[in-house]
Amino acid sequence: MKRIGVDVGGTFTDLVLWDDDGTATVHKTPSTNDDPSIGTMDGIAVLADRAGIDPSEIEMFFHGTTVATNIVLEHNGSDVGMITTEGFRDLLHIARKKRPLNYSNYQDLPWQKWQLVPRRNRRVVAERIDAAGRVLTPLDEDAVRREVRLLRERRVQAIAVAFLHAYRNPAHERRVKEIIAEEYPEVFVSLSSEVAPQYREYERFSTTALNAFVGPKTSSYIANLAAAAQQEQVADDVHLMTSAGGLVTSRSAQDKPVSLLASGVVAGLLGGCAIGRASGFPSVITLDVGGTSADIGVAPDGRLRMKHLLDTRVGDYHAMIPMAEVDTIGAGGGSIAAVDEGGMFRVGPRSAGAVPGPACYGRGGVEPTSTDAMVVMGWLREDSFLSGSMEVVPALAETAIRDQIAGKLGTSLDKAAMGIFTILAHSMTEAIGLHSVRKGYDPREFSLVAEGGAGPLFAWQIAEQLGIPRVIVPRHPGITSAVGLLTTDIRTELPATVWTSSSDPDIELIAHEMKRLSDEARAQLRADGVADSDITLERTADCRYLGQGYELRVPAPDGEIDADWVAQTAEAFHEIHGRTYSQRFDEKPVQLINIRVTGVGAVPHIRIGEIGKGGADASGALKTTTRALFWEPGSTEPQWHDTPVYSREQLLARNTFVGPAIVEQFDSTTIIGPGQRATVDEVGHIIIERAAA
């Protein structure tokens, strides 16, 4: 079986073609941000040609995209209208009491400055359902028709429908959807009972509005991509990565595009987990550094952690969707270095992006970036970028850093370049500490998987700073996110609010909702073409102690729903609460707020095969020796070293060499620092560790 993974980033589109025999063909091409489907299909054509196959031979197509995320971050979504319950028109505006600046009366609130739905388009109708799902006020259908016609006159492109307690009884929202289909059939419709069917009014309203905001553009992109793939006979359908780490069909993605927020970054974490398992180190921290940003994930024992509800934000907005624990900082190969008006030396978060790019690309960029710094330091050679297919002009990098950094700071070109690298590496080190140490995980018990085009350039230094015992550099680090797309399954997660307690559980309600969710999950997977034999169901619950305001997600047991099931779920919560907050309160009742069923449709996964074996001597892969700049431990001055440069393609299992050293390949460059040792393992991954004294 031939399958392809395509991850579209802000700077590059990464592609990998994987055959069941373990053969991988990779390609990297600049993203076409105006229409990412163009770069995707062009890249597939080049990749297929490089592999010597026809695109029609590709049987499965997996895709990660930042299209929905970029729409939110750039505030350029669709014109949205909303229909809601009388009295709740301003819920999106008020939000929660928390503000970005706690003690300032003069601040822009992002959700008010960049409104998802302008107030004039937030329309109210008479209806009311209580928290038990009972109808208190019938839906005023005539009012609904008037408001839909008004929104049609205003030419909104999407309508969000969010009623109070619709998560418990969606009848009114579904009727509004029917009326919209009669009055305004071409508009995109987003129902809160379909997008986020659980309690918390503001978060549910915000998520529904986000789905409408990104819906038309994202759905159009997915439809165009699916049509282009069908025209080229590439696979039967496009499967897209969700923020929870699962795959959905193009049909499901078009219905609920909000689920695609953060899809690309999660694929990198999944790829890192697969890399770690293949090398025998399942607990990993992933560092995926691209041109614009660095994505950081922590996976103890190779398991994805889900974000807490308070952290499931995209840009400035709450998104109450399942989201794997991956965080992004503005640090990448295109991060711009500058000396500000106060004389402060800064690197990032501004980025040169794909256009104009770093100064050394010769595409009009004049500001120095971290890529320019590594060219000056000798780490990135003229003919090393994408195997020489991208021209690099070192003189341009030197001029940018000398004029805008070294000259202003009164220091040497060497120190200025090394300073750019050091500042950016420190930013990544701090971010990894924030998402590991401060969340109860010791980085010394993990391996650092270096991903992205720039991850292997920084990882050696970060591991030194944090005491991480080893760095794992995949065979194709620049396209690890694309590989991650090929390591997961089709997943659909369905929640229901039950609001009961371990001291007096409503077992009948839990059992009824669990069966309903299970049936719906199976039905959706069957509709996506998954055979019954490939379907499994996973249960979780959102729990908290009585009196707490927010929940933690815990695994829930299989089997019959009874008092013992509730007790096991409560014990799982005690354990996770103790690990998360170092406190557990066994005597307190546990509230079960939401239950969830995740339907998993198994998809054949790739197998990372072994490579050819050699001895410890790596000289067969030696390309040349170059002059490269390193700041050795304990030294106050960077020093130039005669540094061996190895070809990644020529390295064999068991090859060993010491740093400083450089390993070049098509999609990335790896740095092994002074005092470190690199060993190629059985599956072709480079393992970097501290050399024995």
Side-chain angles (χ1 to χ4, degrees), residues 83-103:
I83 296 177
T84 189
T85 308
E86 278 186 343
F88 290 84
R89 181 182 189 182
D90 292 318
L91 189 62
L92 279 180
H93 184 82
I94 298 169
R96 296 292 181 184
K97 65 180 181 180
K98 187 173 178 61
R99 299 292 186 261
L101 304 174
N102 289 334
Y103 302 106

Side-chain angles (χ1 to χ4, degrees), residues 11 33 51 63 89 160 192 231 267 369 392 444 474 588 596 611 624 666:
T11 305
N33 294 327
H63 183 39
R89 181 182 189 182
S192 77
Q231 183 176 352
T369 68
V392 173
R444 294 172 296 183
K588 284 189 174 294
R596 301 174 185 275
I611 65 169
T624 187
F666 173 77

Side-chain angles (χ1 to χ4, degrees), residues 432 556 615 661:
I432 291 175

Side-chain angles (χ1 to χ4, degrees), residues 60 488-491 525 530-531 533-536 599-605:
M60 302 193 79
T488 189
D489 299 305
I490 298 174
R491 301 175 70 91
L525 288 171
V530 180
S533 59
D534 293 328
I535 295 175
T536 57
V600 181
V603 172
H605 295 174

Side-chain angles (χ1 to χ4, degrees), residues 217-236:
K217 289 185 178 180
T218 305
S219 297
S220 176
Y221 163 68
I222 296 169
N224 290 341
L225 179 60
Q230 186 176 26
Q231 183 176 352
E232 297 297 326
Q233 299 180 315
V234 176
D236 293 330

